[in-house]
Amino acid sequence: MEIGPFSKKGDPVSFGQDNNNGGGQAGGTDAQAADSKTLMPTGPAAQFKNANTLSDGTEIGVVTITGKKSGFTGKVWVWAPKQYKDPKYAKSGFPVMIALPGGPGYPNNYWMGTDLNLQSSISKWSQEGKSLPFILAMPILNPDDKHYYDGSDIPNQPKMGTWLSEDVPDLIKQNFRTLKSRDGWCFMGSSSGGFAGFKAVLKHPDKFKAVIASGPDIVPDSPLWNGHEKEKQENNPQKLAQHLIDTKGPDVYIAFQVGTAEPPIVMSQVKQFQAQYGKGPVHTMLREIPGGKHNAKTYVPNMGEGLIQYISQHMEGPTPSS
């Protein structure tokens, strides 16, 4: 499928919006949702192009958007599981996982490649009953490869926090059948992307319910915060968690994983966060990966060892019509 004239790369990807089985076309059919939990695509439809094709025929599409709320222009890769086109789910909303990379996260999001097996693993786990059939949204994390922006709206910088927590979800709502409540929205990320997703769930618990954070930073550390200590603390997961504890909710679910071969400070900081803030509405779990290193190839297979099950059991999935 990916060789010579048989490659689909660059071809339009519809993700089924233009079907005739009631699935709903972004931007304007009158298809009805199966239940009150489902949000049908609101439109306008984005022009996704094929970036990769999996062995099961599902496609990873990519589009460049300018976020209406952040004003930032960047790429977003999207994948929908095979169940999305199954007629029995044609009017049902699907949960969404926003997958964030580590490192620069620019100009690509490394989860969009098929080499790390994120999409194929979600497919396998959903068929085994371990995982919900998540739609994956994979945006770029930073606006350049010079700085890390902590997935935040740092003063006088591109609004990467708004990009990740507002504009990317809006793109998915415009083009896919999703779930109205936060029970259908989560993050996954590794390293710096783990921090960004972890922080987003704590900062916006009204919008997101869970996160898988692999080898994450625990506190914001971008040098771009210099001179903006107040705003930095407003994006500090420790402060955000304490606020959730003080206000008694809503409940969030944080699944950490750290390899035992990672720098010891990563494990110690995660355990310290758990001990101090993993209480009340802040629910946490930690998988220690024996011999695991600080890289995505370690993290993906180990997500299936309890983490994907943990967040899935606290989230909503699609409702079959039969």
Side-chain angles (χ1 to χ4, degrees), residues 17-179:
Q17 298 105 312
D18 56 354
N19 59 26
N20 295 312
N21 63 3
Q25 181 173 354
T29 70
D30 56 0
Q32 297 298 307
D35 53 48
S36 61
K37 297 177 182 178
T38 295
L39 176 67
M40 299 300 276
T42 62
Q47 303 303 307
F48 290 101
K49 301 294 186 183
N50 178 286
N52 273 307
T53 303
L54 275 65
S55 60
D56 65 358
T58 56
E59 297 180 75
I60 299 171
V62 63
V63 68
T64 299
I65 64 166
T66 298
K68 289 188 176 179
K69 295 173 182 174
S70 69
F72 176 72
T73 300
K75 288 184 177 180
V76 184
W77 291 263
V78 181
W79 172 81
K82 209 169 183 78
Q83 293 95 323
Y84 189 80
K85 291 187 178 181
D86 187 327
K88 73 180 178 183
Y89 294 113
K91 298 182 180 182
S92 298
F94 277 67
V96 179
M97 175 182 285
I98 301 172
L100 304 179
Y106 174 92
N108 292 319
N109 178 322
Y110 56 55
W111 299 120
M112 56 73 67
T114 56
D115 57 320
L116 295 171
N117 298 316
L118 178 60
Q119 295 80 10
S120 57
S121 295
I122 294 288
S123 288
K124 176 175 177 286
W125 296 329
S126 66
Q127 291 162 10
E128 294 172 347
K130 290 183 176 181
S131 171
L132 296 174
F134 291 101
I135 293 170
L136 292 178
M138 300 160 277
I140 61 168
L141 180 62
N142 292 304
D144 56 51
D145 59 3
K146 298 180 179 65
H147 300 288
Y148 176 52
Y149 292 71
D150 279 334
S152 302
D153 290 359
I154 299 176
N156 307 315
Q157 302 295 336
K159 295 183 177 181
M160 303 314 291
T162 299
W163 162 256
L164 296 174
S165 63
E166 298 275 356
D167 293 328
V168 173
D170 284 350
L171 170 71
I172 305 304
K173 292 174 186 176
Q174 289 161 5
N175 290 276
F176 295 87
R177 303 184 305 276
T178 56
L179 294 160

Side-chain angles (χ1 to χ4, degrees), residues 97 122 124-126 128-132 134 210 212 253 255 285 287 300-315:
M97 175 182 285
I122 294 288
K124 176 175 177 286
W125 296 329
S126 66
E128 294 172 347
K130 290 183 176 181
S131 171
L132 296 174
F134 291 101
I212 295 176
Y253 297 85
M285 68 162 286
R287 169 162 168 74
V300 173
N302 282 281
M303 280 172 52
E305 301 300 318
L307 288 87
I308 199 75
Q309 297 94 319
Y310 178 71
I311 68 165
S312 292
Q313 70 185 12
H314 293 293
M315 296 180 65

